[in-house]
């Protein structure tokens, strides 16, 4: 009786211990990320952002349905990430997976799809096999999500289209950017005060339809105001970033002094500069076009900060297309898309979070760049041409007829010509030891700040040698398109908008958010050549070894059994 009572007591203790462990695990639990690249570990900034939420964030993910394995993998990775978000955001992070448009009528579905596109979620045409093997049909899917927070909504595009890249690498890059995409969306919704961007005017910059997407992007994500250097005696410090979008008129020394002192006082600048007069409008009007230097008078300012935009035009075999008349069929002209080397598709270097895991960027009439010696300034090349490019010195003549002839790869020997450079460090003033006391006193009286010969601290600016990189095409039917879309080849959107936003995000000081762009997932794939060579060997091993182990176990078991009963 005593023995039975002791047994019951022990059983009760074990049951109570198991219950206690389960209750404690519901409130106190930990996770260990054993992956080499810390795939499941959130950055410090993301964890702090989720913990600081003061209201629920609702996330609708449009990755539910009968999708191929690659999209199911993306959906699983998204679910695992959002579960990790919920670990830190607790009840303030809620998510659901839905099939977009399910249960809606055709008209309502198309309207909903239009709303998703307006939120920046780009559709993807997927080929699916029909029943009874009757062929393939196209299915429109939206690999994205909508994030809702306090009556505000922002779209997240989850699939990164890596042009020309292996599909598995594309999915890997998309998974690597999931944390950044969701955390960035939540950060924008949770931030009340937005950085102020000054869109610079007064040097021929435009506010027309060709910059509609850039201005809309700025208005949706930042505070925006225009500023003319001619109408102000100094640049107010209220502006966090200055944006120069394709100026066409020369800068005076007074203009450059205002910019210089803005930089010396910690202001950030984003330059999109066309060094030449080449434009698509001019080329369409004149089949033979003479290209000259635009004469912006910015060479000395850039040189002092550590970069030089050369007076040339870059041609690249990795380029976009332009429709040209290549012949006649009867009385009708035959129009075909022809590669146009003056439209290089720039490749991100991956050397900085700004361009990490990013697609190619479309450029038009870009010039080459050089970094120059400048102590204390770190230069990071962000965008380059391909390994088959060349530069044409200006003045020069370009024409549409020349591109109808197939180019020779031997003529394109330059490799990875820089087209965008990030400059970081403590800049020195262009006007150091050059101004008289009277000018310095006049500037101090106007701005309320003394003239500075060097920056107050470390600063940053980005220089891009293409003013059209943030311009958008304007379609006769659809109006302004998204930047990075060629109106003659609208099936693919280049990463111009992503590059533009990443530059602004970095310059606005959100370095913690940019940290999550550094995440990179390693694809540990089997070597196809080794698989091919050792295929038969491994097939034999996988077939023979299990059977051999079973037979060996049976023999040992029979031997032990016979010996046991023989005794």
């Amino acid at each position: 009786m005593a023995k039975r009572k002791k047994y019951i007591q022990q059983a009760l203790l074990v049951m109570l211990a198991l219950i206690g462990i389960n209750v404690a695990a519901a409130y106190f639990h930990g996770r260990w990320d054993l992956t080499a690249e810390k795939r499941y570990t959130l950055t410090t900034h993301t964890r702090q952002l989720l913990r600081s939420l003061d209201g629920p964030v609702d996330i609708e993910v449009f990755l539910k349905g009968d999708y191929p394995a690659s999209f199911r993998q993306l959906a699983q990775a998204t679910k695992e990430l959002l579960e990790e978000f919920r670990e830190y955001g607790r009840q303030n992070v809620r998510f659901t997976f839905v099939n977009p448009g399910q249960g809606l009528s055709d008209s309502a579905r198309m309207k909903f799809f239009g709303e998703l596109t307006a939120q920046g979620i780009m559709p993807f045409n997927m080929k699916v096999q029909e029943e009874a093997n009757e062929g393939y049909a196209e299915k429109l899917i939206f690999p994205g999500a909508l994030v809702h927070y306090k009556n505000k909504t922002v779209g997240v595009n989850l699939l990164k289209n890596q042009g020309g890249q292996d599909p598995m690498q594309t999915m890997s890059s998309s998974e690597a950017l999931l944390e950044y995409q969701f955390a960035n969306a939540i950060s924008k919704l949770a931030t009340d005060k937005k950085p102020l961007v000054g869109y610079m005017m007064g040097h021929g910059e435009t506010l027309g339809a060709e910059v509609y997407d850039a201005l809309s992007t700025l208005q949706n994500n930042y505070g925006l105001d225009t500023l003319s250097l001619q109408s102000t005696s100094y640049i107010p410090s209220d502006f966090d970033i200055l944006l120069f979008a394709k100026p066409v008129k020369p800068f005076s020394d007074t203009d450059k002094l205002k910019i210089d002192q803005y930089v010396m006082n910690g202001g950030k600048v984003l330059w999109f500069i066309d060094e030449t007069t080449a434009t698509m409008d001019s080329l369409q009007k004149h089949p033979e076009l003479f290209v000259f230097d635009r004469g912006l008078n910015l060479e000395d300012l850039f040189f002092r900060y550590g970069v030089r935009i050369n007076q040339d035009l870059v041609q690249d075999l990795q380029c976009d297309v332009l429709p040209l008349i290549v012949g006649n069929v009867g009385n009708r002209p035959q129009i075909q898309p022809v590669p146009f080397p003056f439209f290089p598709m720039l490749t991100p270097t991956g050397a900085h979070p700004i361009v990490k895991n990013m697609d190619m960027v479309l450029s038009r009439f870009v010039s080459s760049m050089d970094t120059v010696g400048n102590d204390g300034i770190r230069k990071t090349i962000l965008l380059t041409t391909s390994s088959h490019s060349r530069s044409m010195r200006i003045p020069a003549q370009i024409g549409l007829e020349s591109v109808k002839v197939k180019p020779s790869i031997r003529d394109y020997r330059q490799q990875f010509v820089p087209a965008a450079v990030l400059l970081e460090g403590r800049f020195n003033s262009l006007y150091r030891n050059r101004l008289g006391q009277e000018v310095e006193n006049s500037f101090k009286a106007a701005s309320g700040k003394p003239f500075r010969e060097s920056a107050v601290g470390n600063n940053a600016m980005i220089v891009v040698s293409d003013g059209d990189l943030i311009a958008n095409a304007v379609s006769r039917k659809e109006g302004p398109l998204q930047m990075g879309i060629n109106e003659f080849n609208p099936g693919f959107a280049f990463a111009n908008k992503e590059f533009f936003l990443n530059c602004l995000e970095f310059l606005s000081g959100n370095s913690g958010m940019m940290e999550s762009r550094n995440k990179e997932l390693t694809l540990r794939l089997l070597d196809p050549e080794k698989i091919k060579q050792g295929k038969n060997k491994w097939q034999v091993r996988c077939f023979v070894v299990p059977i051999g182990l079973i037979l060996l176990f049976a023999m040992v078991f029979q031997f032990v059994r016979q010996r046991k009963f023989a005794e």
Side-chain angles (χ1 to χ4, degrees):
M1 188 69 181
K3 187 177 181 180
R4 183 180 178 184
K5 185 178 179 181
K6 185 177 181 182
Y7 174 78
I8 294 174
Q9 289 176 347
Q10 290 177 346
L12 289 174
L13 287 174
V14 171
M15 291 177 62
L16 290 174
L18 291 174
I19 293 172
I21 291 173
N22 279 276
V23 172
Y27 295 94
F28 309 99
H29 59 278
R31 296 185 176 192
W32 289 270
D33 188 353
L34 302 179
T35 58
E37 63 270 20
K38 297 302 176 184
R39 175 180 301 207
Y40 304 105
T41 301
L42 302 181
T43 61
T44 303
H45 182 274
T46 301
R47 295 197 297 267
Q48 292 174 349
L49 172 67
L50 296 172
R51 288 177 177 136
S52 64
L53 291 173
D54 57 357
V57 174
D58 293 301
I59 304 172
E60 293 179 84
V61 184
F62 305 111
L63 283 175
K64 183 179 180 181
D66 187 15
Y67 294 156
S70 57
F71 283 93
R72 292 200 300 270
Q73 178 183 339
L74 181 62
Q76 181 63 28
T78 304
K79 182 181 178 181
E80 291 173 353
L81 175 79
L82 294 179
E83 286 175 348
E84 192 71 19
F85 272 32
R86 193 162 54 189
E87 287 294 316
Y88 296 95
R90 299 296 180 183
Q91 71 276 4
N92 285 330
V93 176
R94 304 182 300 204
F95 62 90
T96 56
F97 281 73
V98 297
N99 191 340
Q102 188 177 30
L104 299 178
S105 63
D106 291 342
S107 58
R109 185 184 299 109
M110 295 308 297
K111 181 181 178 181
F112 181 64
F113 288 171
E115 294 173 354
L116 292 181
T117 305
Q119 287 285 353
I121 302 176
M122 303 304 294
F124 179 82
N125 271 327
M126 180 180 64
K127 288 186 178 181
V128 294
Q129 189 171 7
E130 295 182 335
E131 295 181 2
N133 295 324
E134 294 180 355
Y136 289 87
E138 287 191 350
K139 182 179 180 181
L140 195 65
I141 65 174
F142 287 82
L146 288 178
V147 183
H148 310 276
Y149 181 72
K150 292 184 177 180
N151 299 321
K152 295 183 289 184
T153 301
V154 66
V156 177
N157 202 26
L158 302 181
L159 181 64
K160 310 305 296 179
N161 291 321
Q162 306 274 333
Q165 197 176 68
D166 179 74
M168 296 190 68
Q169 185 61 46
T170 298
M171 285 297 175
S172 177
S173 299
S174 299
E175 290 181 35
L177 286 173
L178 286 176
E179 179 187 342
Y180 169 76
Q181 298 280 19
F182 282 109
N184 188 40
I186 295 173
S187 177
K188 288 179 179 178
L189 294 174
T191 302
D192 296 325
K193 184 181 179 181
K194 299 179 179 180
L196 180 61
V197 177
Y199 188 88
M200 304 306 295
M201 302 293 294
H203 294 87
E205 299 89 348
T206 181
L207 290 173
E210 59 269 27
V211 291
Y212 175 83
D213 189 39
L215 295 176
S216 299
T217 300
L218 288 171
Q219 287 179 329
N220 293 334
N221 297 278
Y222 296 89
L224 177 63
D225 199 359
T226 57
L227 179 67
S228 174
L229 291 175
Q230 288 79 22
S231 62
T232 182
S233 56
Y234 69 99
I235 300 175
S237 58
D238 298 338
F239 290 96
D240 298 285
I241 305 172
L242 296 185
L243 171 63
F244 287 90
K246 196 180 179 178
V248 296
K249 295 180 180 179
F251 286 73
S252 66
D253 282 336
T254 303
D255 296 335
K256 291 190 291 185
L257 174 61
K258 297 172 187 177
I259 299 170
D260 178 83
Q261 287 304 293
Y262 172 77
V263 173
M264 295 306 109
N265 283 283
K268 310 291 193 300
V269 187
L270 178 55
W271 303 86
F272 291 94
I273 301 297
D274 263 357
E275 190 67 23
T276 72
T277 58
T279 63
M280 195 59 220
D281 292 338
S282 301
L283 193 59
Q284 288 176 333
K285 296 176 182 177
H286 307 284
E288 297 292 332
L289 179 66
F290 287 93
V291 181
F292 301 95
D293 173 32
R294 200 176 285 278
L296 295 176
N297 193 30
L298 290 172
E299 295 82 5
D300 52 354
L301 191 68
F302 289 150
F303 192 88
R304 174 54 64 95
Y305 296 154
V307 74
R308 175 174 58 227
I309 302 179
N310 298 314
Q311 297 182 3
D312 60 14
L313 282 174
V314 174
Q315 295 175 280
D316 196 342
L317 292 183
Q318 179 180 276
C319 58
D320 204 15
V321 297
L322 187 69
L324 295 177
I325 300 175
V326 296
N328 291 285
V329 179
N331 295 326
R332 296 182 178 180
Q334 184 181 5
I335 301 176
Q336 290 184 358
V338 177
F340 194 55
F342 292 101
F343 289 179
M345 295 189 293
L346 303 177
T347 304
T349 61
H352 194 273
I354 293 175
V355 289
K356 192 81 169 182
N357 295 313
M358 202 177 74
D359 309 343
M360 290 185 292
V361 175
L362 179 61
S363 65
R364 294 188 173 188
F365 303 112
V366 63
S367 299
S368 66
M369 302 179 70
D370 292 322
T371 58
V372 296
N374 196 331
D375 294 338
I377 303 299
R378 184 168 67 254
K379 300 103 179 174
T380 306
I381 297 174
L382 302 177
L383 300 175
T384 69
T385 62
S386 73
S387 57
H388 299 291
S389 54
R390 68 178 182 181
S391 57
M392 175 191 297
R393 300 293 298 177
I394 59 171
Q397 182 181 10
I398 61 175
L400 297 177
E401 293 296 325
S402 61
V403 300
K404 296 180 182 179
V405 181
K406 186 176 180 180
S408 173
I409 195 172
R410 292 177 296 178
D411 297 331
Y412 292 77
R413 298 183 177 181
Q414 289 182 272
Q415 297 183 349
F416 312 119
V417 178
V421 178
L422 165 66
L423 305 172
E424 297 175 282
R426 190 170 184 179
F427 298 106
N428 290 319
S429 172
L430 172 64
Y431 297 94
R432 186 176 187 176
N433 301 323
R434 290 177 55 184
L435 297 181
Q437 191 62 43
E438 183 178 348
V439 177
E440 292 186 11
N441 292 338
S442 176
F443 181 83
K444 181 178 180 181
S447 64
K449 297 179 180 180
F451 172 80
R452 296 188 182 277
E453 294 187 345
S454 59
V456 294
N458 289 332
N459 203 347
M461 72 170 60
I462 297 173
V463 184
V464 183
S465 60
D466 179 21
D468 294 315
L469 195 138
I470 60 170
N472 57 261
V474 182
S475 170
R476 294 181 180 180
K477 295 182 179 180
E478 303 178 19
L481 303 177
Q482 178 181 310
M483 68 176 79
I485 294 181
N486 186 345
E487 60 180 311
F488 309 115
N489 183 27
F492 182 80
F494 291 89
N496 296 48
K497 190 169 186 175
E498 183 180 356
F499 176 74
F500 182 45
L501 284 170
N502 290 350
C503 290
L504 291 169
E505 183 124 11
F506 176 78
L507 293 177
S508 63
N510 202 349
S511 57
M513 184 63 64
M514 298 300 294
E515 180 188 350
S516 58
R517 286 189 62 89
N518 263 334
K519 186 173 289 187
E520 187 170 0
L521 304 186
T522 304
L523 288 176
R524 296 173 175 85
L525 304 177
L526 298 176
D527 189 335
E529 191 62 32
K530 288 185 177 180
I531 294 174
K532 185 177 180 180
Q533 293 176 357
K535 178 181 178 181
N536 295 332
K537 177 181 67 176
W538 288 106
Q539 283 181 335
V540 171
R541 287 183 179 180
C542 291
F543 180 76
V544 173
V545 171
I547 296 176
L549 290 175
I550 293 174
L551 293 175
L552 179 62
F553 174 76
M555 292 170 61
V556 172
F557 178 77
Q558 186 66 20
F559 174 76
V560 173
R561 184 171 180 274
Q562 288 179 349
R563 188 171 180 179
K564 178 180 179 181
F565 285 100
E567 294 176 353

